[in-house]
Amino acid sequence: MIGGLGARVGAVLSDISSTEGRLAVTAAIVLGTLAVGWLLLPKAVRAVERTAAAWIERLLDDRMAESTEGAIETFREGVPTSFILRLAVGLLQLALFALAGVAVLTLWGRFGLVVAVLPVAENAARVGAQVVVTAVLLGGAYVVSDVVETYVGELSADSDRITAHQEQLLTRLAQVGLLVLAGITVLGIWGVNLGGLLVGAGFLGIVLGMAARQTLGSLIAGFVLMFARPFEIGDWVEIGNEEGFVTDITIINTHMRNFDGEYVVVPNDLVANQAITNRSREGRLRIHMEVGIGYDDDPDEAAGIAEDVLSGIDTIANNPQPYAIPSGFGDSAILLDLRFWIDPPTPQARWRSKAIAVERIQERFADAGISIPYPQRTVSYPPETAEAEETIERVERIDGDGDGRSRDGSV
């Protein structure tokens, strides 16, 4: 093929046999190459870039203009446009100069040198093209991952149905998918056997799955938590024996900060297998307290005083109204169940409302003469036990002179 091309080029240039003619044609080729390479190519590439950008913008639907505006701006800021333009211009100039060199060598009857060097040049061009495509793919995947993150953030800001946890997880999945796709494409470009690689990856996955069962369980539980949404970042939750505020939710772990300021990390598989109490979900929280009054006191009066006290505490909500009801008979007191709501539910509001309620109820009960009794216990004996103790007492009162007579003179 190359020999036939050289024969045709030689036939075209066969009429130029004089040295002066060849010099003139060589000068024309050089000047034309410089003019096209240094003057026309940069302007043409910039014009094509502007036309492509305008065409892409026209393809955007008006309904998606607002949601994609941030992603487009991020793409424009993240893509090194000047570097890409310089790279494109350089590659085109290199190809143009190579063609000009081939033409000059053919003109001077050195086409055999071109044929000898051409395989090396083809290999170098192929490797160079693979390197360029690899760099473009990896760089494009990195830039597109940033664009996806911005786009998902815009969608999350405009929708209340996407939580911060879901936003983070969707972003990470999209980024990992883009990088994996780019990596597989790059391996295919370099001629790597993907079949054998996938088989090896399958065996490796089995080994890792057996060795990291808990981690995989936490990973699957992370997806379950994402769709179930039992809590969100900032919620006050109780998970098993741990209670605090959720600070972060990852695919593997749930991060909390308890009321002692400690940083707690709970694996997601443990979170999914335990009871979860979310005290922030409903926006309010009901508190139960119990107080005992003496059996000689009036339960209705005590309940009225307790309700009046609870209604006057600022941290307790008035809708619904707090109330107190007699709930049972204790060992030493009649029990009153105090129930009230705090809105919004915070640990500080819960502790403060309970502390104020205890202090004020104790004061009001004391003023009204209502007792809060201590634990009491009444001890009684059966009749036969009482008779035995009386006999023992009479024996102990026998006169101590040893004559066997009691204090009343009987034997």
Side-chain angles (χ1 to χ4, degrees):
M1 177 179 178
I2 297 176
L5 178 63
R8 286 194 293 271
V9 173
V12 172
L13 300 177
S14 60
D15 295 336
I16 307 174
S17 58
S18 62
T19 303
E20 292 80 2
R22 291 179 178 179
L23 288 175
V25 174
T26 300
I29 292 175
V30 171
L31 293 176
T33 302
L34 292 176
V36 174
W38 294 106
L39 297 178
L40 298 180
L41 273 180
K43 294 182 179 180
V45 170
R46 291 189 181 91
V48 171
E49 189 271 338
R50 288 194 297 267
T51 303
W55 180 72
I56 292 174
E57 290 181 359
R58 284 196 301 270
L59 288 179
L60 295 176
D61 191 5
D62 293 336
R63 292 173 298 178
M64 300 178 59
E66 294 182 359
S67 60
T68 56
E69 182 178 356
I72 294 173
E73 293 297 329
T74 303
F75 181 78
R76 288 177 175 177
E77 293 176 0
V79 174
T81 307
S82 59
F83 172 76
I84 293 178
L85 289 177
R86 288 197 298 269
L87 180 62
V89 171
L91 292 176
L92 292 175
Q93 289 175 342
L94 181 62
L96 183 62
F97 294 155
L99 291 176
V102 170
V104 171
L105 290 175
T106 304
L107 177 65
W108 289 91
R110 298 293 185 269
F111 191 76
L113 180 62
V114 175
V115 174
V117 176
L118 190 58
V120 179
E122 288 179 350
N123 292 331
R126 184 177 63 256
V127 173
Q130 290 175 339
V131 171
V132 171
V133 172
T134 300
V136 170
L137 285 175
L138 296 179
Y142 177 78
V143 172
V144 172
S145 66
D146 290 342
V147 175
V148 169
E149 182 176 3
T150 303
Y151 182 69
V152 173
E154 293 287 339
L155 290 179
S156 176
D158 296 336
S159 175
D160 296 334
R161 301 180 61 183
I162 301 178
T163 64
H165 181 206
Q166 291 174 331
E167 175 188 348
Q168 182 183 22
L169 190 56
L170 289 175
T171 301
R172 295 295 178 267
L173 288 176
Q175 291 176 341
V176 170
L178 283 172
L179 293 178
V180 170
L181 181 61
I184 293 175
T185 306
V186 168
L187 292 177
I189 291 174
W190 287 94
V192 177
N193 185 6
L194 297 179
L197 185 63
L198 292 176
V199 172
F203 283 108
L204 180 61
I206 294 174
V207 173
L208 292 178
M210 296 295 295
R213 287 175 294 178
Q214 185 175 1
T215 302
L216 291 178
S218 297
L219 180 65
I220 296 173
F223 285 99
V224 174
L225 291 176
M226 183 191 74
F227 292 104
R229 297 173 59 182
F231 51 80
E232 299 176 6
I233 295 176
D235 283 353
W236 171 17
V237 300
E238 181 179 355
I239 303 174
N241 296 325
E242 301 294 340
E243 183 177 5
F245 291 97
V246 178
T247 59
D248 191 16
I249 306 172
T250 65
I251 301 179
I252 304 298
N253 300 314
T254 296
H255 302 258
M256 300 172 55
R257 188 166 301 277
N258 61 18
F259 302 140
D260 295 329
E262 298 172 335
Y263 183 72
V264 181
V265 179
V266 184
N268 285 335
D269 60 334
L270 297 181
V271 175
N273 293 327
Q274 298 187 86
I276 301 172
T277 303
N278 190 334
R279 295 191 169 92
S280 300
R281 176 60 62 88
E282 298 299 328
R284 60 181 182 175
L285 180 66
R286 188 168 71 174
I287 307 298
H288 291 262
M289 291 180 59
E290 196 173 64
V291 61
I293 62 173
Y295 277 96
D296 296 331
D297 298 320
D298 184 3
D300 292 335
E301 181 185 1
I305 293 174
E307 290 178 356
D308 183 63
V309 169
L310 295 176
S311 299
I313 299 177
D314 296 335
T315 55
I316 295 178
N318 292 324
N319 187 18
Q321 292 286 337
Y323 61 92
I325 57 173
S327 61
F329 297 97
D331 294 336
S332 306
I334 297 176
L335 303 178
L336 297 180
D337 186 13
L338 313 181
R339 301 182 182 184
F340 54 89
W341 296 83
I342 57 175
D343 183 12
T346 62
Q348 294 80 5
R350 181 179 65 174
W351 300 331
R352 182 175 176 81
S353 61
K354 293 176 102 174
I356 296 176
V358 169
E359 180 182 353
R360 294 185 182 179
I361 288 175
Q362 193 273 336
E363 292 177 355
R364 291 287 300 275
F365 279 7
D367 295 339
I370 298 175
S371 63
I372 302 177
Y374 294 103
Q376 302 174 14
R377 179 172 297 176
T378 301
V379 180
S380 62
Y381 297 95
E384 59 273 12
T385 304
E387 293 177 0
E389 289 182 353
E390 183 179 357
T391 303
I392 293 173
E393 183 179 358
R394 292 184 61 188
V395 172
E396 288 178 350
R397 288 187 303 190
I398 296 177
D399 192 10
D401 57 4
D403 55 3
R405 296 178 179 272
S406 62
R407 293 182 184 276
D408 58 3
S410 61
V411 178

